[in-house]
Amino acid sequence: MLTGKLTAFTPTACILCAPFLIACGGGSSGSVAQTTASAVPAKTEAQISEEMQKVWASLIAEVGTPLASDVSQCRAIPAGAKACGGPSRYVVYSTQVSNEERVRNLAESYTALENERNVMSHAISTCSLVMPPVIELAAGRCQAK
């Protein structure tokens, strides 16, 4: 039997109850214990940071010295993630020197890792927008103005 005062259903109550509702919900023949036991162990923040350093080093190695014969060969790609959204930086590279697909894959990997670390560490940021740089070719080298 329920006793006491009945209160309104609030969004906070919904958030607090959601894990229990999901765990008790129908449609799944497996138990919560089975699902949890088969989950991949989470990485630590230190492991993510170490992986980020390796991916960043690979990205910088792939970019090398962004030499180009024409500014049309110069590109900037977003890399990293601010806690409240958007890239944390841009990397300038040259399609004459770098494999564009590899640069894109490495930048996306770095961004995903930084997102993961931000969530894990409950990171906050200024929420300022990092705008794509204007690219120029100076002395045969791609660079941001």
Side-chain angles (χ1 to χ4, degrees), residues 99-113:
N99 176 318
E100 198 164 8
E101 182 178 350
R102 180 150 167 77
V103 168
R104 183 176 44 256
N105 289 339
L106 288 166
E108 288 173 357
S109 292
Y110 184 81
T111 300
L113 287 166

Side-chain angles (χ1 to χ4, degrees), residues 95-127:
T95 58
Q96 179 178 313
V97 174
S98 303
N99 176 318
E100 198 164 8
E101 182 178 350
R102 180 150 167 77
V103 168
R104 183 176 44 256
N105 289 339
L106 288 166
E108 288 173 357
S109 292
Y110 184 81
T111 300
L113 287 166
E114 191 162 28
N115 266 324
E116 186 177 357
R117 186 179 68 180
N118 288 345
V119 169
M120 180 177 282
S121 68
H122 305 287
I124 57 172
S125 70
T126 63
C127 297

